[in-house]
Amino acid sequence: MTDPYRITETPVDAPKKPGGGLLRPLLWLVLFVSAAANVVLSTAADNQWISSAFGLVAVLCAVALIVHHRRNRARES
């Protein structure tokens, strides 16, 4: 007797959203650039507002990457 609820075949990959493949690499790039700028400017510059702005951008990119991962992890597994 076969079990109708058992999945024996692998599902076909779900189609990706248009333009969704570029968001994650762009967020990683902005994260690395802003973190590097934050480190350089916090040690070399006198104006701490600029380095704090780059730090804030880095934190926002990290949060956006976490949210993007959590929303899309069900589709990736």
Side-chain angles (χ1 to χ4, degrees), residues 33-51:
V33 168
S34 61
N38 182 24
V39 169
V40 169
L41 291 175
S42 66
T43 58
D46 293 330
N47 192 351
Q48 293 299 316
W49 290 101
I50 297 173
S51 66

Side-chain angles (χ1 to χ4, degrees), residues 10 14 23 30 33 42 46 48-49 54 56-57 62-63 68 70 74-75:
T10 58
L23 178 64
V30 173
V33 168
S42 66
D46 293 330
Q48 293 299 316
W49 290 101
F54 278 111
L56 180 64
V57 170
V63 169
H68 187 267
R70 301 258 316 174
R75 276 188 244 143

